[in-house]
Amino acid sequence: AKKLEEGNKLMAAENYTGALNEFQEAKKLAPKQSAPYIFTGLALISLERYSDAEANLKKAIEFNPEDPKGYSLLGSTYHKMRKDRQGLTTFGTGLEIEPESFEMLNKQGLVYKDREELPRAIDSFNRAVELKNDYLPARRNLAYALLDDKRYVAAREEFQTAAKLAKSDEERQ
């Protein structure tokens, strides 16, 4: 646990190589637990070492197939690797485990948007927003997807809602 804490502090400081070293040490101390593999995968994603991240995240899922975090990160990794079909399958599995994951729905929507499957992207973003009305990334992504789909009035409304959310976020800080 101490190695994971140290690694997380280094991640927060954007010292991804240092964090990776701590997480790899944590894997040696707990080789059959998923958390060190998830954190190692996260550090590797930050270092843009996607194939290595993929291997670690698959191992995390193997050790704890009921943890949606592994699926969320692996789906994002596949998206970065342009393996969108695998990413969508992975997000689908993660959403079966945690259907209320507004963050995973948002990530799924981004894959659909990149594939120019706008109705599916809009559906994913809408579902994310329905689950967490003030989730700004999904609001913005929904607005852009609506704009790409030439639904200008709906896009304008979403952009206005996103702007209000961003302003209230700034006021809270």
Tab-separated table of all heavy atoms in Angstrom, residues 84-114:
chain	number	residue	atom	x	y	z
A	84	ASP	N	-10.389	0.653	-31.838
A	84	ASP	CA	-11.684	1.112	-31.348
A	84	ASP	C	-12.680	-0.018	-31.111
A	84	ASP	O	-13.449	0.019	-30.154
A	84	ASP	CB	-12.273	2.155	-32.288
A	84	ASP	CG	-11.520	3.470	-32.233
A	84	ASP	OD1	-10.752	3.680	-31.273
A	84	ASP	OD2	-11.691	4.289	-33.149
A	85	ARG	N	-12.678	-1.016	-31.965
A	85	ARG	CA	-13.619	-2.124	-31.781
A	85	ARG	C	-13.357	-2.820	-30.449
A	85	ARG	O	-14.279	-3.111	-29.694
A	85	ARG	CB	-13.508	-3.103	-32.952
A	85	ARG	CG	-14.727	-3.985	-33.083
A	85	ARG	CD	-14.717	-4.808	-34.363
A	85	ARG	NE	-14.950	-3.962	-35.522
A	85	ARG	CZ	-14.452	-4.180	-36.725
A	85	ARG	NH1	-13.694	-5.214	-36.951
A	85	ARG	NH2	-14.731	-3.369	-37.724
A	86	GLN	N	-12.072	-3.055	-30.151
A	86	GLN	CA	-11.724	-3.670	-28.860
A	86	GLN	C	-12.081	-2.737	-27.705
A	86	GLN	O	-12.517	-3.185	-26.653
A	86	GLN	CB	-10.235	-4.028	-28.824
A	86	GLN	CG	-9.889	-5.222	-29.677
A	86	GLN	CD	-8.389	-5.393	-29.801
A	86	GLN	OE1	-7.747	-4.705	-30.577
A	86	GLN	NE2	-7.843	-6.304	-29.019
A	87	GLY	N	-11.871	-1.440	-27.908
A	87	GLY	CA	-12.220	-0.474	-26.878
A	87	GLY	C	-13.706	-0.492	-26.569
A	87	GLY	O	-14.110	-0.505	-25.400
A	88	LEU	N	-14.518	-0.515	-27.604
A	88	LEU	CA	-15.977	-0.532	-27.398
A	88	LEU	C	-16.415	-1.813	-26.698
A	88	LEU	O	-17.272	-1.776	-25.810
A	88	LEU	CB	-16.704	-0.367	-28.735
A	88	LEU	CG	-16.590	1.034	-29.351
A	88	LEU	CD1	-17.132	1.033	-30.775
A	88	LEU	CD2	-17.305	2.065	-28.496
A	89	THR	N	-15.822	-2.935	-27.074
A	89	THR	CA	-16.145	-4.204	-26.407
A	89	THR	C	-15.764	-4.146	-24.936
A	89	THR	O	-16.524	-4.574	-24.061
A	89	THR	CB	-15.417	-5.373	-27.107
A	89	THR	OG1	-15.858	-5.428	-28.462
A	89	THR	CG2	-15.693	-6.690	-26.422
A	90	THR	N	-14.599	-3.580	-24.665
A	90	THR	CA	-14.111	-3.480	-23.293
A	90	THR	C	-14.994	-2.555	-22.464
A	90	THR	O	-15.355	-2.874	-21.326
A	90	THR	CB	-12.643	-3.005	-23.287
A	90	THR	OG1	-11.868	-3.911	-24.084
A	90	THR	CG2	-12.082	-2.963	-21.878
A	91	PHE	N	-15.357	-1.401	-23.031
A	91	PHE	CA	-16.275	-0.501	-22.316
A	91	PHE	C	-17.609	-1.196	-22.065
A	91	PHE	O	-18.207	-1.051	-21.002
A	91	PHE	CB	-16.507	0.798	-23.099
A	91	PHE	CG	-15.345	1.744	-23.093
A	91	PHE	CD1	-14.948	2.372	-24.256
A	91	PHE	CD2	-14.650	2.027	-21.934
A	91	PHE	CE1	-13.888	3.264	-24.267
A	91	PHE	CE2	-13.576	2.916	-21.925
A	91	PHE	CZ	-13.192	3.528	-23.105
A	92	GLY	N	-18.076	-1.952	-23.059
A	92	GLY	CA	-19.340	-2.676	-22.897
A	92	GLY	C	-19.294	-3.634	-21.723
A	92	GLY	O	-20.235	-3.699	-20.922
A	93	THR	N	-18.195	-4.359	-21.587
A	93	THR	CA	-18.037	-5.280	-20.457
A	93	THR	C	-18.008	-4.508	-19.141
A	93	THR	O	-18.656	-4.893	-18.169
A	93	THR	CB	-16.761	-6.125	-20.615
A	93	THR	OG1	-16.818	-6.822	-21.870
A	93	THR	CG2	-16.609	-7.125	-19.481
A	94	GLY	N	-17.256	-3.411	-19.120
A	94	GLY	CA	-17.197	-2.592	-17.912
A	94	GLY	C	-18.544	-2.023	-17.527
A	94	GLY	O	-18.898	-1.968	-16.343
A	95	LEU	N	-19.328	-1.636	-18.520
A	95	LEU	CA	-20.655	-1.072	-18.247
A	95	LEU	C	-21.648	-2.136	-17.807
A	95	LEU	O	-22.616	-1.827	-17.119
A	95	LEU	CB	-21.173	-0.304	-19.462
A	95	LEU	CG	-20.467	1.038	-19.682
A	95	LEU	CD1	-20.736	1.573	-21.082
A	95	LEU	CD2	-20.873	2.043	-18.619
A	96	GLU	N	-21.410	-3.392	-18.181
A	96	GLU	CA	-22.237	-4.475	-17.641
A	96	GLU	C	-22.004	-4.611	-16.140
A	96	GLU	O	-22.928	-4.901	-15.384
A	96	GLU	CB	-21.906	-5.802	-18.337
A	96	GLU	CG	-22.441	-5.903	-19.741
A	96	GLU	CD	-21.994	-7.172	-20.449
A	96	GLU	OE1	-21.566	-8.134	-19.774
A	96	GLU	OE2	-22.062	-7.199	-21.693
A	97	ILE	N	-20.773	-4.388	-15.713
A	97	ILE	CA	-20.423	-4.482	-14.290
A	97	ILE	C	-20.906	-3.247	-13.536
A	97	ILE	O	-21.443	-3.346	-12.441
A	97	ILE	CB	-18.892	-4.647	-14.123
A	97	ILE	CG1	-18.458	-5.987	-14.717
A	97	ILE	CG2	-18.475	-4.533	-12.662
A	97	ILE	CD1	-16.970	-6.100	-14.934
A	98	GLU	N	-20.704	-2.088	-14.136
A	98	GLU	CA	-21.092	-0.823	-13.489
A	98	GLU	C	-21.870	0.046	-14.489
A	98	GLU	O	-21.309	0.964	-15.092
A	98	GLU	CB	-19.865	-0.076	-12.965
A	98	GLU	CG	-20.229	1.119	-12.127
A	98	GLU	CD	-19.015	1.850	-11.572
A	98	GLU	OE1	-17.901	1.308	-11.588
A	98	GLU	OE2	-19.201	2.975	-11.120
A	99	PRO	N	-23.152	-0.245	-14.672
A	99	PRO	CA	-23.937	0.497	-15.674
A	99	PRO	C	-24.105	1.978	-15.356
A	99	PRO	O	-24.452	2.756	-16.237
A	99	PRO	CB	-25.287	-0.220	-15.687
A	99	PRO	CG	-25.299	-1.156	-14.551
A	99	PRO	CD	-23.913	-1.296	-14.034
A	100	GLU	N	-23.840	2.367	-14.123
A	100	GLU	CA	-23.998	3.769	-13.721
A	100	GLU	C	-22.707	4.579	-13.893
A	100	GLU	O	-22.618	5.703	-13.403
A	100	GLU	CB	-24.416	3.832	-12.241
A	100	GLU	CG	-25.635	2.994	-11.910
A	100	GLU	CD	-26.922	3.605	-12.405
A	100	GLU	OE1	-27.220	4.731	-12.023
A	100	GLU	OE2	-27.613	2.949	-13.201
A	101	SER	N	-21.716	4.036	-14.586
A	101	SER	CA	-20.435	4.730	-14.739
A	101	SER	C	-20.545	5.805	-15.818
A	101	SER	O	-20.359	5.546	-17.007
A	101	SER	CB	-19.310	3.749	-15.086
A	101	SER	OG	-18.118	4.475	-15.309
A	102	PHE	N	-20.831	7.014	-15.381
A	102	PHE	CA	-20.967	8.124	-16.323
A	102	PHE	C	-19.638	8.414	-17.009
A	102	PHE	O	-19.596	8.808	-18.167
A	102	PHE	CB	-21.521	9.374	-15.621
A	102	PHE	CG	-20.724	9.838	-14.445
A	102	PHE	CD1	-19.679	10.726	-14.602
A	102	PHE	CD2	-21.019	9.376	-13.167
A	102	PHE	CE1	-18.937	11.155	-13.512
A	102	PHE	CE2	-20.290	9.793	-12.069
A	102	PHE	CZ	-19.239	10.686	-12.243
A	103	GLU	N	-18.518	8.176	-16.312
A	103	GLU	CA	-17.207	8.413	-16.925
A	103	GLU	C	-16.946	7.417	-18.055
A	103	GLU	O	-16.438	7.785	-19.113
A	103	GLU	CB	-16.109	8.335	-15.870
A	103	GLU	CG	-16.180	9.492	-14.890
A	103	GLU	CD	-15.298	9.296	-13.674
A	103	GLU	OE1	-15.136	8.150	-13.230
A	103	GLU	OE2	-14.789	10.308	-13.177
A	104	MET	N	-17.293	6.146	-17.834
A	104	MET	CA	-17.081	5.144	-18.870
A	104	MET	C	-18.014	5.395	-20.057
A	104	MET	O	-17.614	5.209	-21.211
A	104	MET	CB	-17.266	3.728	-18.315
A	104	MET	CG	-16.512	2.708	-19.135
A	104	MET	SD	-16.423	1.005	-18.498
A	104	MET	CE	-16.584	1.110	-16.749
A	105	LEU	N	-19.238	5.816	-19.791
A	105	LEU	CA	-20.154	6.160	-20.879
A	105	LEU	C	-19.595	7.314	-21.710
A	105	LEU	O	-19.697	7.310	-22.940
A	105	LEU	CB	-21.537	6.522	-20.331
A	105	LEU	CG	-22.382	5.335	-19.898
A	105	LEU	CD1	-23.523	5.794	-18.993
A	105	LEU	CD2	-22.920	4.593	-21.114
A	106	ASN	N	-18.994	8.284	-21.049
A	106	ASN	CA	-18.385	9.408	-21.755
A	106	ASN	C	-17.242	8.913	-22.635
A	106	ASN	O	-17.132	9.289	-23.805
A	106	ASN	CB	-17.899	10.458	-20.747
A	106	ASN	CG	-17.341	11.680	-21.435
A	106	ASN	OD1	-18.015	12.321	-22.240
A	106	ASN	ND2	-16.101	12.010	-21.129
A	107	LYS	N	-16.391	8.049	-22.086
A	107	LYS	CA	-15.277	7.505	-22.867
A	107	LYS	C	-15.786	6.693	-24.058
A	107	LYS	O	-15.247	6.781	-25.157
A	107	LYS	CB	-14.393	6.625	-21.981
A	107	LYS	CG	-13.620	7.395	-20.929
A	107	LYS	CD	-12.853	6.429	-20.040
A	107	LYS	CE	-12.091	7.120	-18.940
A	107	LYS	NZ	-11.329	6.141	-18.123
A	108	GLN	N	-16.837	5.921	-23.829
A	108	GLN	CA	-17.442	5.140	-24.909
A	108	GLN	C	-17.953	6.093	-26.000
A	108	GLN	O	-17.754	5.853	-27.201
A	108	GLN	CB	-18.593	4.304	-24.352
A	108	GLN	CG	-19.310	3.462	-25.373
A	108	GLN	CD	-20.532	2.784	-24.767
A	108	GLN	OE1	-21.417	3.454	-24.236
A	108	GLN	NE2	-20.565	1.463	-24.818
A	109	GLY	N	-18.575	7.163	-25.587
A	109	GLY	CA	-19.074	8.156	-26.538
A	109	GLY	C	-17.965	8.762	-27.383
A	109	GLY	O	-18.144	8.997	-28.583
A	110	LEU	N	-16.809	8.987	-26.776
A	110	LEU	CA	-15.673	9.535	-27.529
A	110	LEU	C	-15.219	8.579	-28.629
A	110	LEU	O	-14.872	9.011	-29.736
A	110	LEU	CB	-14.510	9.848	-26.587
A	110	LEU	CG	-14.719	11.038	-25.661
A	110	LEU	CD1	-13.607	11.108	-24.631
A	110	LEU	CD2	-14.806	12.331	-26.465
A	111	VAL	N	-15.225	7.287	-28.328
A	111	VAL	CA	-14.850	6.305	-29.354
A	111	VAL	C	-15.865	6.348	-30.495
A	111	VAL	O	-15.487	6.407	-31.672
A	111	VAL	CB	-14.736	4.883	-28.768
A	111	VAL	CG1	-14.423	3.867	-29.871
A	111	VAL	CG2	-13.667	4.824	-27.679
A	112	TYR	N	-17.148	6.336	-30.151
A	112	TYR	CA	-18.177	6.402	-31.193
A	112	TYR	C	-18.048	7.689	-32.010
A	112	TYR	O	-18.185	7.679	-33.236
A	112	TYR	CB	-19.581	6.318	-30.593
A	112	TYR	CG	-20.013	4.932	-30.205
A	112	TYR	CD1	-20.531	4.677	-28.937
A	112	TYR	CD2	-19.934	3.869	-31.099
A	112	TYR	CE1	-20.958	3.407	-28.569
A	112	TYR	CE2	-20.353	2.591	-30.740
A	112	TYR	CZ	-20.866	2.364	-29.481
A	112	TYR	OH	-21.276	1.112	-29.127
A	113	LYS	N	-17.773	8.802	-31.335
A	113	LYS	CA	-17.637	10.074	-32.046
A	113	LYS	C	-16.460	10.019	-33.013
A	113	LYS	O	-16.575	10.439	-34.165
A	113	LYS	CB	-17.464	11.224	-31.048
A	113	LYS	CG	-17.469	12.598	-31.711
A	113	LYS	CD	-17.430	13.703	-30.671
A	113	LYS	CE	-17.458	15.070	-31.270
A	113	LYS	NZ	-16.385	15.376	-32.215
A	114	ASP	N	-15.337	9.479	-32.574
A	114	ASP	CA	-14.174	9.358	-33.459
A	114	ASP	C	-14.464	8.445	-34.649
A	114	ASP	O	-13.891	8.625	-35.722
A	114	ASP	CB	-12.955	8.848	-32.694
A	114	ASP	CG	-12.336	9.921	-31.816
A	114	ASP	OD1	-12.751	11.090	-31.900
A	114	ASP	OD2	-11.422	9.580	-31.031
